[in-house]
Amino acid sequence: MTESGTSRPHQATPGFGARLREAMDGRGPLCAGIDPHAGLLDAWGLTDSVNGLEKFALGAAEALAPRVAAVKPQSAFFERFGSRGIAVLERVVETCREAGALVVLDVKRGDIGSTAQAYADAYLDPRSPMAVDAITATPYLGFGSLTPMVETAREHGKGMFVLALTSNPEAPQFQHARTSSGRTVAGAVLDELRDLNAEQAPMGFLGAVVGATISETTEDLAINGPLLVPGIGAQGGTTDDVRRIFGDVIDLVLPSSSREILGAGPDEGALHAAVGRSLDAFSALRSGR
């Protein structure tokens, strides 16, 4: 029952947390990013064009999606080519899901009221041509502004990863600021996620984005939901960083690697090998080796 006393629609499929837990346990804890920025297109010998985008993104999806728990396309690198780029993104999403990977669309949406609901309808409603398993979202209009997305995700068995502790140098200005209660903004976001994930098993549907290159943190990262950890590899994050930051909640960590893996392409065998190295490293980390 919701707080208003009305019943939530029945979910025909397991919730996002359960599906991600199964994928991480079965395929290993890795999210492979697909970030077709101009430098990578050039490194693959492709032009910075829709044709180059299509070859790069679909090639990456076909090579990576059968081997990882989740794939994370960065929407902006598709959007810059307009409607034709979005058409490529739709094909990437379809390719990844057909290969059995969950799709986390990195869009970092955040707005209020009907606009927030429209974003939810676009990405989290199965009837949408752009429907994915989860999206990234920003809470800096107030966590309550995300309610339409949270409720739509809950209704359809989808997920969200909410920005909490990101690695960019400008982040502390907002994320480390104190609220009127004395909590940091990041801590307040994590508290909200923990409350919404309460009593969900094996894992809640709402996750947090926590960068692999943040400094030491005293925030409680045990939110009973997945922790999407970007910044692995080319951006400087290491397995030692992940061990240092996440400690007892390492089982919740979904490391995300983009350039470190994509830089091995376009050779399919080299991409497979890059995925294998990352999987070996993070599987060992989870097992305590």
Side-chain angles (χ1 to χ4, degrees), residues 102-220:
L102 300 181
V103 179
V104 178
L105 188 59
D106 196 353
V107 288
K108 298 183 179 70
R109 297 298 191 237
D111 215 307
I112 60 173
S114 60
T115 308
Q117 184 62 62
Y119 282 137
D121 294 341
Y123 302 118
L124 301 173
D125 189 321
R127 294 169 294 186
S128 169
M130 282 299 298
V132 292
D133 295 286
I135 60 171
T136 56
T138 175
Y140 298 116
L141 288 174
F143 196 94
S145 67
L146 299 179
T147 297
M149 298 186 217
V150 170
E151 290 303 314
T152 302
R154 192 200 309 270
E155 176 182 349
H156 295 297
K158 305 292 188 176
M160 289 172 56
F161 289 94
V162 180
L163 302 184
L165 287 164
T166 60
S167 297
N168 57 303
E170 304 86 358
Q173 178 182 2
F174 289 94
Q175 295 167 9
H176 295 180
R178 298 279 173 179
T179 68
S180 58
S181 69
R183 292 289 282 127
T184 64
V185 171
V189 169
L190 293 166
D191 289 346
E192 294 275 7
L193 295 172
R194 187 180 302 106
D195 289 346
L196 288 164
N197 281 333
E199 299 182 4
Q200 295 188 44
M203 187 164 63
F205 70 109
L206 296 176
V209 179
V210 180
T213 57
I214 63 171
S215 59
E216 300 292 340
T217 181
T218 59
E219 302 292 357
D220 183 1

Side-chain angles (χ1 to χ4, degrees), residues 220-231:
D220 183 1
L221 300 177
I223 62 168
N224 189 35
L227 300 168
L228 182 65
V229 181

